[in-house]
Amino acid sequence: MIMTTDPATLMKQEVGKAAAARVKSDSIVGLGTGSTTAFAIQYIGERLASGDLKNIVGVPTSFQAEVLAKKYGIPLTTLDAIAHIDVAIDGADEVDPQKNLIKGGGAAHTREKVVDSLAKEFIVVVDSGKLVDKLGSTFLLPVEVIPMAVTPVMRKLEELGGKPDLRMGVRKAGPVVTDQGNLVIDVKFDDISDPATLEATINNIPGVLENGLFVGVANIILVGEIIDGKPNVREF
């Protein structure tokens, strides 16, 4: 692990470590995207290197996850070559009390939803700041769209009561481009009272590939907190 005294980083390390500790030998693991999941990938690699884990293969959800897996010595496979996924570990941008999620802050939610939904067990790793009473409270809803359909999709999202905005790159001129070569529209909804219906409705808009609502997918939420200046991990 990275040597640090920063409580927030230590907390992410502990959450990632707690998730990675649940991985068993002889399993296929979905490898998610994001800063906390990166620590889980690192710790899985360390367990493999020490011999604590054997016969693990990973299915990456993004180019970032693929690079990290290779860095830490985790063998990779593809969905074409496997019949199941035993466990997936991934982060989230929001988690509600029913374990529904908003994901897509890293623009990887389409691949993440494919992998996470296939897993027998999906473990979500977050800090306590990601817990909300209702989805959409603190984070915009990402919608991945094929480039030619951006304008008509934005009109449809407005008709649904959303306020859409094309996600632009940071330190890059132009929009964010996903690993699939598509664009991301971030949508503000004042009230997501029925996440399952909204998820299906948005995905039925022509030109939409996938949106960041993950309804009924997560099994275990591991929450990192800082209590009395020390990192703590709890489950719900």
Side-chain angles (χ1 to χ4, degrees):
M1 291 291 174
I2 298 170
M3 298 301 294
T4 180
T5 57
D6 174 55
T9 302
L10 286 170
M11 178 264 294
K12 288 187 176 186
Q13 288 180 348
E14 290 303 311
V15 178
K17 184 175 181 178
R22 293 171 181 251
V23 175
K24 299 176 182 178
S25 294
D26 305 308
S27 61
I28 301 169
V29 185
L31 303 174
T33 306
S35 57
T36 304
T37 312
F39 287 119
I41 293 173
Q42 178 180 345
Y43 191 63
I44 291 170
E46 290 177 358
R47 291 186 64 198
L48 270 172
S50 71
D52 184 43
L53 269 183
K54 299 184 188 322
N55 193 28
I56 294 294
V57 291
V59 181
T61 60
S62 65
F63 182 66
Q64 181 213 29
E66 181 179 345
V67 169
L68 285 171
K70 290 177 179 177
K71 177 179 178 180
Y72 294 114
I74 302 173
L76 296 177
T77 188
T78 67
L79 296 178
D80 292 329
I82 59 174
H84 71 280
I85 296 174
D86 294 294
V87 60
I89 300 171
D90 211 343
D93 298 297
E94 283 189 342
V95 182
D96 76 6
Q98 290 74 46
K99 300 182 181 178
N100 297 318
L101 320 172
I102 283 182
K103 291 174 52 55
H109 54 282
T110 296
R111 292 192 188 187
E112 290 171 339
K113 190 176 286 190
V114 172
V115 171
D116 298 342
S117 298
L118 287 172
K120 293 178 182 177
E121 183 177 65
F122 174 27
I123 301 172
V124 180
V125 290
V126 293
D127 63 73
S128 59
K130 305 294 178 63
L131 304 182
V132 296
D133 292 329
K134 184 177 287 190
L135 295 181
S137 302
T138 63
F139 202 82
L140 303 178
L141 176 62
V143 179
E144 183 167 351
V145 183
I146 63 173
M148 68 167 287
V150 166
T151 298
V153 168
M154 289 179 78
R155 291 196 193 104
K156 288 291 186 181
L157 291 168
E158 287 175 346
E159 291 175 11
L160 292 174
K163 301 178 181 66
D165 192 32
L166 182 64
R167 187 183 299 184
M168 304 303 288
V170 177
R171 300 176 67 182
K172 167 191 177 295
V176 167
V177 179
T178 71
D179 287 354
Q180 289 74 245
N182 297 314
L183 305 180
V184 176
I185 298 171
D186 290 314
V187 191
K188 171 62 179 174
F189 286 99
D190 292 330
D191 182 29
I192 301 180
S193 57
D194 186 351
T197 297
L198 184 61
E199 179 182 22
T201 300
I202 291 175
N203 279 356
N204 277 330
I205 299 173
V208 170
L209 183 59
E210 188 54 83
N211 72 80
L213 284 166
F214 284 52
V215 179
V217 181
N219 301 111
I220 296 171
I221 314 293
L222 295 180
V223 183
E225 302 171 302
I226 299 173
I227 300 176
D228 297 328
K230 296 181 180 180
N232 180 69
V233 180
R234 65 180 172 91
E235 174 186 336
F236 86 85

